[in-house]
């Protein structure tokens, strides 16, 4: 795992945007398969990508998927797809046929099965698992990533390519890529920005170093092949 430290959140998201656009511009194979997360970090990344000129990129050979989606209509403010469309997709020239949203309005279990099939049909497989060129993850202040939440072992053990995460408290049910699919990616980029994540980021790093991974984020970071974390947090006193 590589960690890129920036003094400000703006620098942090600018750096991840530059690295992602650099990968996209150097694409070798016909399609570059990219999966995006949702939440606040995703919105900051979209703004950074647009400010770095991503609209000038040739998007016709990029396929866009989602790491996870909250269950509900695309009219909901919670919809990761709708937010990506409003802030990003509507501002780049990408064929609609290259955009593969998770249908939040469908039954979660059925949609997890459908989306697993979509991945298999569109992304090169290794051992039956789709290998994304790049997955952009986020990490919540509780150490979750994608829709794999601490203490929800079923999600972590999900054997499929995607799974349905149940609603919990005020959290909507979700459909998410499973840990197995995420860690198979060639490259994972993960912004972890904001003081509210400092304690968790410190613990995640400690778990990663000791290889005693309890948080979903540290488990994914330790199992994945190539992870770059972009942060404005110094997780330890320096
Ligand atoms: C989601 C995301 C989720 C997100 C983290 C970080 O749908 O909620 O995919 O995994 O990446 O919760 O969210 P923030 O960037 O908003 O802190």
């Amino acid at each position: 795992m590589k960690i890129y430290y920036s003094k400000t959140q703006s620098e942090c998201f600018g750096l991840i945007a530059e690295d992602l656009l650099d990968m996209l511009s150097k694409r070798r194979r016909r399609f570059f398969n990219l999966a995006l997360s949702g939440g606040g970090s995703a919105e900051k990344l979209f703004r950074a990508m647009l400010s770095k000129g991503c609209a000038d990129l040739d998007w016709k050979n990029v396929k866009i998927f989602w790491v996870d989606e909250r269950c509900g209509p695309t009219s909901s403010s919670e919809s990761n797809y709708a937010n990506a469309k409003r802030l990003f997709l509507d501002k780049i020239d990408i064929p609609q046929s290259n955009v593969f949203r998770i249908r939040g309005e469908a039954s979660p279990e059925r949609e997890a099965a459908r989306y697993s099939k979509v991945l298999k049909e569109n992304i090169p497989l290794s051992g039956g698992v789709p290998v994304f060129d790049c997955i952009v993850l986020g990490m919540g202040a509780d150490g979750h990533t994608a829709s794999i939440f601490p203490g929800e072992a079923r999600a972590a053990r999900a054997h499929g390519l995607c799974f349905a995460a149940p609603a919990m408290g005020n959290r909507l049910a979700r459909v998410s890529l499973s840990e197995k699919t995420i860690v198979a990616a060639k490259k994972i980029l993960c912004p972890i920005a904001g003081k509210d994540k400092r304690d968790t980021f410190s613990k995640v790093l400690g778990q990663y170093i000791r290889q005693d991974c309890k948080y979903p984020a540290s488990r994914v970071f330790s199992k994945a092949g190539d992870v770059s974390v972009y942060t404005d947090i110094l997780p330890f006193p320096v």
Side-chain angles (χ1 to χ4, degrees):
M1 168 169 67
K2 296 181 280 293
I3 301 176
Y4 298 95
Y5 168 74
S6 302
K7 285 198 174 68
T8 66
Q9 286 208 26
S10 162
E11 278 176 38
C12 175
F13 285 96
L15 190 56
I16 187 171
E18 284 167 5
D19 287 355
L20 180 52
L21 296 181
D22 185 51
M23 266 194 276
L24 287 165
S25 60
K26 287 176 180 163
R27 178 194 64 256
R28 283 173 298 287
R29 251 187 324 92
R30 170 149 170 61
F31 278 112
F32 187 98
N33 295 305
L34 169 65
L36 299 173
S37 282
S41 299
E43 297 184 16
K44 292 175 188 141
L45 177 60
F46 297 149
R47 292 193 179 95
M49 287 174 74
L50 289 165
S51 73
K52 297 288 180 184
C54 71
D56 304 330
L57 211 67
D58 174 3
W59 289 89
K60 67 177 178 307
N61 293 325
V62 179
K63 288 183 180 175
I64 293 186
F65 303 81
W66 271 262
V67 169
D68 58 357
E69 182 58 276
R70 294 87 178 273
C71 293
T74 52
S75 56
S76 160
S77 60
E78 293 263 343
S79 166
N80 290 338
Y81 164 73
N83 288 329
K85 184 178 187 306
R86 174 172 53 86
L87 293 169
F88 177 54
L89 298 175
D90 285 349
K91 300 172 192 286
I92 62 174
D93 181 15
I94 186 167
Q96 188 53 36
S97 57
N98 286 20
V99 177
F100 301 84
R101 74 178 181 93
I102 298 173
R103 295 173 184 164
E105 68 277 17
S107 139
E109 282 72 15
R110 274 207 293 271
E111 179 57 13
R114 185 196 73 87
Y115 206 64
S116 298
K117 193 164 174 290
V118 167
L119 298 180
K120 283 189 166 183
E121 288 166 354
N122 286 279
I123 300 174
L125 303 175
S126 172
V129 181
V131 179
F132 281 92
D133 293 291
C134 179
I135 293 183
V136 180
L137 287 180
M139 186 196 80
D142 61 356
H144 83 264
T145 191
S147 291
I148 308 171
F149 291 88
E152 295 179 23
R154 179 176 168 276
R157 284 198 309 270
H159 298 296
L161 302 180
C162 302
F163 71 97
M168 190 70 68
N170 61 358
R171 190 187 84 210
L172 293 173
R174 292 145 169 255
V175 175
S176 174
L177 300 185
S178 64
E179 185 177 286
K180 170 168 76 170
T181 303
I182 293 169
V183 302
K186 288 180 187 167
K187 179 85 180 170
I188 290 177
L189 308 181
C190 184
I192 300 181
K195 290 186 176 45
D196 62 315
K197 298 181 181 178
R198 181 196 301 274
D199 286 352
T200 304
F201 186 36
S202 298
K203 289 174 188 155
V204 162
L205 285 182
Q207 291 177 13
Y208 176 86
I209 291 163
R210 294 191 304 272
Q211 281 303 294
D212 172 24
C213 297
K214 295 187 173 60
Y215 283 124
S218 42
R219 216 172 40 234
V220 163
F221 293 166
S222 70
K223 289 182 179 178
D226 183 345
V227 180
S228 294
V229 169
Y230 300 77
T231 186
D232 65 338
I233 305 166
L234 282 177
F236 28 75
V238 287

